[in-house]
Amino acid sequence: MEDNVLQIGIPAIFGAGAIAFGLLRVIFKKSIIFTVGVLFLVCADLIAALAFFVGHSGLQHLYWSIPLAIVILFSTYYILTQILQLPLQKMIENIDEISKGNLTAKINNTLYSREDELGQIIN
């Protein structure tokens, strides 16, 4: 039974994450909330699986699992920056150009193709 704890616990964590993903998709499809929710769901699932493993296998695994958890967390923030902050900055630049009277300001085509709130705003 002791050996089955990891075989049951970690898949249970990811199974709960899959259910949460499905709920996010149904409730917030084509929304920034869905994107942010999925990013943090993946981050939380990975860190929860690490914590479960360390709790079951022993605290000596903290030496590598804590740095890995930090990398996962900062990777999530980096991806979030790429998905949200950079497009918002480009939109602000475009709005500034238009407000200065430059009606020929070039708008990034990738912003038009977004199906979330940022795509709606740029359109």
Side-chain angles (χ1 to χ4, degrees), residues 18-65:
I19 292 169
F21 173 84
L23 290 172
L24 282 171
R25 188 170 183 176
V26 168
I27 297 169
F28 298 111
K29 63 182 173 184
K30 295 184 181 180
S31 174
I32 293 172
I33 302 298
F34 172 72
T35 305
V36 172
V38 168
L39 280 171
F40 283 109
L41 176 64
V42 169
C43 179
D45 266 5
L46 291 173
I47 292 174
L50 275 174
F52 185 85
F53 175 80
V54 169
H56 180 264
S57 301
L59 296 179
Q60 70 272 15
H61 295 286
L62 286 175
Y63 293 110
W64 61 267
S65 63

Side-chain angles (χ1 to χ4, degrees), residues 12 40 73 75 79 95:
F40 283 109
L73 184 62
S75 296
I79 293 168
I95 291 169

Side-chain angles (χ1 to χ4, degrees), residues 3-123:
D3 293 332
N4 291 338
V5 172
L6 285 177
Q7 294 172 348
I8 295 170
I10 291 179
I13 290 169
F14 289 120
I19 292 169
F21 173 84
L23 290 172
L24 282 171
R25 188 170 183 176
V26 168
I27 297 169
F28 298 111
K29 63 182 173 184
K30 295 184 181 180
S31 174
I32 293 172
I33 302 298
F34 172 72
T35 305
V36 172
V38 168
L39 280 171
F40 283 109
L41 176 64
V42 169
C43 179
D45 266 5
L46 291 173
I47 292 174
L50 275 174
F52 185 85
F53 175 80
V54 169
H56 180 264
S57 301
L59 296 179
Q60 70 272 15
H61 295 286
L62 286 175
Y63 293 110
W64 61 267
S65 63
I66 288 177
L68 181 57
I70 291 170
V71 167
I72 291 168
L73 184 62
F74 278 96
S75 296
T76 302
Y77 282 115
Y78 175 77
I79 293 168
L80 191 60
T81 299
Q82 298 299 306
I83 292 173
L84 291 178
Q85 186 179 11
L86 295 179
L88 282 171
Q89 287 175 340
K90 289 177 185 176
M91 289 173 62
I92 290 169
E93 291 169 7
N94 289 334
I95 291 169
D96 284 343
E97 283 296 313
I98 292 169
S99 72
K100 293 176 184 174
N102 181 6
L103 299 179
T104 61
K106 298 287 183 188
I107 298 175
N108 191 329
N109 287 337
T110 57
L111 292 176
Y112 282 121
S113 63
R114 291 182 71 128
E115 295 183 357
D116 59 10
E117 293 86 352
L118 291 179
Q120 292 173 358
I121 290 170
I122 200 67
N123 284 319

